[in-house]
Amino acid sequence: MNIQTLPRIVATAFLAHGAARKPPSSAGSRTAWCAPALWALAALLQWGPAQAQPTLPQPQPTAAQGAARVDLPQARFSVGDNPAWAQPAFDDRAWKILRTTAPWEGQGHEGYDGFAWYRIHVVIPSSLKTGSDWPERLRLQLSAIDDADEVFLNGVRVGKTGRMPADAGGFESRSQTVRDYLVDLQTGLVRWDRNNVIAVRVYDAGGSGGFHKGLPSLSVPQRAEGVQLDQARLRHRFLGADDVQTTVVLSNRFPLPQQGDLQVQVLDQASGRVVLRAQQRVNMAPEQTAEVELTLPARPGIEASFQYVDVPTGLALGSTLVVPYVLTPPDAATPALHGASVRGAHPGTPLHHRVPATGNAPLRFSAQGLPAGLVLDAASGVISGTVPAAGRYTVRLTVNNDLGSAARDWTLVAGEQLALTPPMAWNSWHAFGTHASDALVRQAAQALIDQGLAAKGWAGVHVDDGWQAARRRADGSLQGNERFPDMEGLGRFLHERGLQFGLYSSPGATTCALYPGSLGFEAQDAATWVGWGVDHVRYDQCSYAEQLPARPTLEDHQKPYRQMGQLLRQQPRGVVFNLCQYGEHKVWTWGAQLGGHSWRMTGDIQDSWADLLATGFSMAPYAGFVGPGRFNDPDMLMLGLMGAGELRPTRLTSDEQYTHISLWSLLAAPLVLGNHLPALDEFTRGLLTNSEVIAINQDARALSAVRVLDRNGWQVWVKELEGGARAVGVFNTGPRFDRFEVDAALFGRSGQRYQPRDAWRQRDLPARNGSLTVAVPSHGVALLTIR
C-alpha cells in the first residue's frame, strides 16, 4: 500500500446518504420528477455505536446534560414566502407544527408546490461543546430537502443547496442531497442555553415537498467527523480477471489537520475466510484529501471493511465496500452482429438504423434483400431512407473485417407497430438535470459509439426536461433555450450516426422543472418535434393534475395521452410514445390503446436497494400486459456516474447493479441509461455491453419474465425466449452469500436433459437432468439461459 496527500480543496457535501424515492403526489397535485434520480459504499463513515437520543419537548427542543446531539423532529410550518420569516423575533405561534421526517404532503398540504418555510425553535445547550474535542463548529444535519433550500440561524443565512427560480441560472433541484451545514462558533451566532431559531426556506417544483429523509439534528462535532471515505472519488482498475486495484480517497472536510490509521479487512463471503488485513497511517492537511491504494480479489462475494481510527482520540469510523467484479468477457476481434433481430416502422416514414456490430476495425457492412428506398452505408453500418410499403422484409446483414465475417437475418416490419422490442437509450436527466446542453448531448451520443454501447444496440439519445426556452415564439411554437440553439441540427447529428432522437414534454402548462408544457399547443408541438426529427417522446404528467376536475374520471386522466397519441400517429414519422404518469389508474391496461408504447409503472426510482425491491420486483403481477410494442416501464437504470449536476457513483453495490440490469432485461423493460457516458468505467461498461444479457431483453417475443418462486429471500423469474429457450433469473434478496437449488420444474425442464448457460460469463455449464444449484451474493443474481 502507498499513500499520497493531494493538494486539493474538498468542496463536496460531508455525507452522501442513500436516496429516498420522490413518489407521485396525490391525484390533485403535480407528480414527481420523471426520470427527468460504478458501485457505492454500503455506508459512509459514521460513528460506530449508536448513541442514545434524548426525548425532546416541542416546539423548543433541547438536550439533556452530556447529550451528543439535539434531534429536531418537529418544526412550525407555513406555505408562502416572506423574508421576515427568517428573523428570530417573528411570531410564528399560529403556524402549524409538522414532522421534519416526512414531506409536507401527507401532513395537510397535499398538492402544494412552491415556496414554504419551516421554523425550528431550539434551546442549544452549552454542554454540547464539552463533549467535543473540536468545539469550533455547530453542525446542522438537516437531512434531504425537496427541492432547494436556504437555511438561516437566528436571522443569518448559514447554508444553501440548489437554486431558487429567481436565482441566476434559474431553478435547480437538489432533492436528494443531504443538507449538512457548519456554523463557525467564533461568530457568536449561537445563543447558548437560550432559544435559537433555525429557519428553512424551501422551494418545491412538484411532487413531495420539504424534509423527506432521516431525522434532522444539530451537534458540535468531534474532529474525526471531518473525515469521510469520498464515494465520488472511489476508483477501480481491473488487473486481469481476478484482481482489482482500488483507490480509496479520504477527505478531510474540516479546517484542521487530521491523523489516523486506516485499517482494512477483506472477507471472502463464499468461504467465510479473511483474505487480507492491512493498516496505513494517514495524514491530511486542513480541507485536503489522501489516497490509499489496495489490490483486492475481484469476484462475487468479496467485501472490504474499512475503519478509520483517529490517532489523538481513538475514535473509530467504519464503512463497508462490496468489491466490484467484471463478468462480461471482452469482445472477440472477429466480427459479430448484435441487437434486436426485428424492428417496426410506419410505411412511408424516415428510418435511421445503426447495425450493432463488434470486431476489430475497420468493419465493412453489406445487406441482401434491403427493400427499395433504404440504403446501407458500408463503412458506418447505418441504414437510412424511407420505410417501404406495409409488409415484412427479411434482410441478410453481413459484417466483415480482416479476420473474418458474420451474418444474421434482420426483419423490418412495416406496419402499425413501433418498438417491437424494448427501447434502449441514454437520457440526460440523471447526468445533467436541467443543465443538459446541445454540446453535452452530442458528447453523450458520440460516447455511445466510442464506448462500444451502440455496437450492442444502445441507439436512443433522449433529451429530458430543461431544453425549452422560457417562452414560446410569437406564433406559439416551441424553441430551444440558449443551451439548445438548433434542435433540428441536433436531430440531424443523431440520425447521421444511426441514433434515435428522444425529447421530453408534459401535457400540463409547465413541465416538472417549470418549462413550457404542451397544454393548448398539442398539435403544434407534435408537428414541431417531428420537424426536428424526434423519434421518441416522453410525456410527463407534471402540472396536468391542475387541469383535472375535483372528481376526475378515468377519461379525464386518459384525455391528454389519448390526444397526444393520436397526434403523434398522424405525423409523417414514426414516434415512440412513453406515457409518464407513474402507474396511476392501471395504465398498463389501457396505455397501448391510447397510442403508448411504454408506460411508467411507479414514481421515480432512486439508487437504493429498497427502491429496487419496491420497483423492479413489484412488476410480477403485470407480466401479462407486456408484448411487442407495449412495455411496462419501471423507470431508468441507476448505474454508473450520475447525480443530475452533482456527478457521483450510483449508491447501488456491484451485486445490486447486476441484479438491476438482469431484472430489467427479464422484464422486457425499456433500458434507459442516465449515467455520464464519457466517464464510463470498466465495471459499468461490462454491465452495459454484455450481448447475451441484452439479447434476453431484446428477444423478438418481447415477453416479460414470470416470477415462479418467492420464498425465504430467494426469487426465481423465468422468461420464455424465441425458439423455446428460457431465461432464468435467481435473485438472492437476503443478507448473506448463499447457495440455492433450483428445481428444473420451475423453468419447464422437469425430467428432461437441458443445457444451462451463464449469461453474464457467456459460458456453458455442464448439461444435466434435475435441479440446478447456484451460488449468489447477497442482493445479487445468477442469470441463466436454458436450452
Side-chain angles (χ1 to χ4, degrees):
M1 292 170 51
N2 58 69
I3 183 168
Q4 178 183 7
T5 302
L6 302 180
R8 184 153 66 176
I9 300 297
V10 178
T12 56
F14 179 68
L15 292 177
H17 296 263
R21 177 182 305 169
K22 184 176 181 182
S25 309
S26 61
S29 67
R30 293 182 189 173
T31 51
W33 297 97
C34 177
L38 301 177
W39 40 91
L41 299 180
L44 293 175
L45 287 176
Q46 298 175 8
W47 294 113
Q51 302 185 26
Q53 303 304 318
T55 300
L56 303 173
Q58 289 295 325
Q60 290 192 329
T62 186
Q65 181 71 24
R69 72 181 191 187
V70 178
D71 287 345
L72 308 171
Q74 295 181 347
R76 296 188 180 274
F77 176 83
S78 177
V79 300
D81 192 27
N82 186 336
W85 295 348
Q87 300 306 313
F90 176 78
D91 186 354
D92 57 18
R93 286 176 294 179
W95 287 19
K96 185 176 179 179
I97 295 178
L98 299 188
R99 302 187 310 277
T100 57
T101 54
W104 63 60
E105 300 204 26
Q107 299 191 71
H109 296 276
E110 287 74 9
Y112 179 74
D113 304 314
F115 282 102
W117 284 71
Y118 294 89
R119 285 173 56 88
I120 302 172
H121 294 261
V122 54
V123 174
I124 304 178
S126 57
S127 59
L128 287 179
K129 293 184 290 183
T130 62
S132 172
D133 63 346
W134 188 60
E136 297 182 17
R137 296 291 188 274
L138 180 71
R139 183 179 182 187
L140 304 181
Q141 294 176 280
L142 299 185
S143 179
I145 297 174
D146 196 345
D147 285 293
D149 70 283
E150 292 181 280
V151 176
F152 302 83
L153 176 61
N154 296 326
V156 176
R157 194 174 82 175
V158 294
K160 181 177 182 179
T161 303
R163 290 200 305 260
M164 305 298 180
D167 289 348
F171 168 71
E172 181 178 48
S173 171
R174 286 288 184 266
S175 63
Q176 300 302 323
T177 300
V178 174
R179 277 57 169 175
D180 196 343
Y181 302 123
L182 293 176
V183 179
D184 188 345
L185 294 180
Q186 306 306 311
T187 63
L189 189 58
V190 174
R191 302 170 178 175
W192 297 107
D193 301 311
R194 292 185 293 151
N195 185 58
N196 295 260
V197 176
I198 301 170
V200 185
R201 180 190 186 220
V202 177
Y203 180 78
D204 173 48
S208 302
F211 291 99
H212 66 91
K213 179 168 54 181
L215 175 63
S217 66
L218 58 84
S219 62
V220 175
Q222 307 290 340
R223 59 183 295 135
E225 287 187 68
V227 178
Q228 72 174 68
L229 262 71
D230 195 330
Q231 176 188 2
R233 297 179 182 177
L234 191 66
R235 302 192 303 276
H236 304 275
R237 184 169 65 88
F238 290 89
L239 308 174
D242 300 323
D243 296 300
V244 58
Q245 186 179 73
T246 296
T247 302
V248 176
V249 180
L250 295 173
S251 296
N252 175 17
R253 185 192 183 201
F254 289 167
L256 78 166
Q258 301 274 10
Q259 184 181 64
D261 292 324
L262 182 65
Q263 301 172 356
V264 184
Q265 177 175 287
V266 180
L267 173 68
D268 182 349
Q269 297 181 79
S271 65
R273 298 198 313 268
V274 174
V275 296
L276 174 68
R277 286 190 178 93
Q279 179 170 308
Q280 174 68 49
R281 177 62 54 86
V282 180
N283 294 289
M284 284 175 284
E287 299 176 316
Q288 299 289 300
T289 60
E291 293 188 358
V292 176
E293 289 186 354
L294 298 163
T295 298
L296 306 173
R299 59 180 181 269
I302 300 298
E303 182 179 274
S305 298
F306 300 93
Q307 188 172 59
Y308 175 83
V309 181
D310 183 54
V311 168
T313 65
L315 290 173
L317 302 94
S319 180
T320 301
L321 167 68
V322 175
V323 178
Y325 50 94
V326 176
L327 298 180
T328 301
D331 291 322
T334 53
L337 287 160
H338 308 286
S341 63
V342 61
R343 175 165 177 172
H346 292 328
T349 62
L351 178 75
H352 301 89
H353 177 81
R354 187 180 187 92
V355 177
T358 56
N360 284 1
L363 295 175
R364 296 175 292 277
F365 297 84
S366 60
Q368 292 180 335
L370 195 66
L374 296 176
V375 296
L376 170 66
D377 185 296
S380 67
V382 173
I383 297 173
S384 60
T386 301
V387 178
R392 295 178 66 91
Y393 302 86
T394 299
V395 181
R396 187 68 174 176
L397 297 173
T398 301
V399 59
N400 63 77
N401 65 8
D402 294 340
L403 300 176
S405 66
R408 68 179 294 193
D409 287 341
W410 175 72
T411 301
L412 176 65
V413 182
E416 293 298 311
Q417 280 192 316
L418 301 175
L420 297 182
T421 60
M424 295 177 63
W426 172 86
N427 179 286
S428 63
W429 184 254
H430 281 293
F432 304 115
T434 56
H435 295 294
S437 67
D438 180 285
L440 289 172
V441 171
R442 292 181 190 232
Q443 183 185 55
Q446 191 60 47
L448 275 180
I449 299 170
D450 296 342
Q451 298 278 17
L453 275 66
K456 298 300 177 69
W458 299 92
V461 177
H462 297 174
V463 180
D464 216 287
D465 205 356
W467 60 266
Q468 311 90 328
R471 294 178 179 80
R472 293 173 178 267
R473 293 189 176 96
D475 64 358
S477 62
L478 280 171
Q479 57 184 327
N481 55 36
E482 67 282 356
R483 289 176 282 104
F484 288 93
D486 184 4
M487 298 298 285
E488 185 175 358
L490 177 57
R492 188 165 52 250
F493 174 89
L494 297 174
H495 292 151
E496 288 170 352
R497 288 155 179 78
L499 304 176
Q500 312 302 304
F501 184 14
L503 209 59
Y504 167 98
S505 189
S506 168
T510 63
T511 66
C512 284
L514 304 183
Y515 290 90
S518 294
L519 184 66
F521 298 90
E522 291 85 356
Q524 190 172 15
D525 287 357
T528 297
W529 299 333
V530 168
W532 292 340
V534 167
D535 306 289
H536 184 286
V537 169
R538 183 182 291 260
Y539 213 40
D540 189 348
Q541 181 171 280
C542 288
S543 65
Y544 186 78
E546 297 173 357
Q547 307 301 318
L548 295 172
R551 295 182 178 179
T553 64
L554 177 60
E555 174 57 29
D556 290 327
H557 288 283
Q558 293 178 341
K559 177 182 176 181
Y561 297 101
R562 185 188 308 277
Q563 180 184 22
M564 185 54 73
Q566 292 173 347
L567 288 168
L568 292 176
R569 183 61 186 86
Q570 295 166 6
Q571 300 304 313
R573 186 176 197 91
V575 181
V576 176
F577 187 33
N578 175 264
L579 282 60
C580 188
Q581 54 81 266
Y582 312 101
E584 296 178 358
H585 311 287
K586 299 182 179 180
V587 63
W588 52 90
T589 65
W590 47 262
Q593 300 169 21
L594 272 56
H597 302 96
S598 63
W599 33 83
R600 277 284 295 279
M601 298 291 287
T602 66
D604 289 358
I605 191 173
Q606 301 296 332
D607 51 335
S608 72
W609 175 244
D611 261 37
L612 277 188
L613 288 173
T615 301
F617 289 102
S618 70
M619 295 295 104
Y622 316 111
F625 296 95
V626 173
R630 47 183 303 149
F631 301 105
N632 296 331
D633 178 10
D635 206 5
M636 291 197 289
L637 296 165
M638 300 285 101
L639 307 171
L641 198 62
M642 48 181 284
E646 293 180 306
L647 289 175
R648 56 167 177 79
T650 177
R651 297 183 179 101
L652 297 175
T653 68
S654 52
D655 296 322
E656 291 165 357
Q657 291 181 72
Y658 277 110
T659 286
H660 192 3
I661 197 164
S662 297
L663 181 58
W664 263 236
S665 294
L666 288 163
L667 293 172
L671 298 181
V672 183
L673 304 172
N675 57 309
H676 185 45
L677 291 177
L680 198 65
D681 60 281
E682 189 175 352
F683 172 79
T684 309
R685 185 183 296 107
L687 285 175
L688 304 181
T689 59
N690 190 300
S691 56
E692 295 192 18
V693 175
I694 291 172
I696 292 171
N697 178 265
Q698 295 291 297
D699 182 74
R701 295 191 68 185
L703 299 177
S704 171
V706 175
R707 184 166 61 194
V708 297
L709 181 141
D710 183 5
R711 185 178 67 232
N712 298 330
W714 290 93
Q715 295 193 26
V716 178
W717 294 64
V718 177
K719 175 176 179 168
E720 296 183 9
L721 302 176
E722 190 176 30
R726 303 283 192 274
V728 179
V730 184
F731 297 92
N732 179 3
T733 66
R736 296 183 305 276
F737 189 105
D738 210 344
R739 288 167 174 79
F740 186 76
E741 185 176 354
V742 186
D743 189 333
L746 292 175
F747 47 82
R749 295 294 189 269
S750 179
Q752 304 175 40
R753 190 163 181 82
Y754 60 91
Q755 175 65 65
R757 182 173 174 83
D758 186 322
W760 277 108
R761 293 178 174 87
Q762 299 182 8
R763 67 188 184 200
D764 286 338
L765 303 175
R768 67 192 67 209
N769 294 300
S771 62
L772 175 67
T773 299
V774 293
V776 187
S778 171
H779 298 183
V781 61
L783 183 62
L784 310 167
T785 55
I786 305 292
R787 298 189 183 278

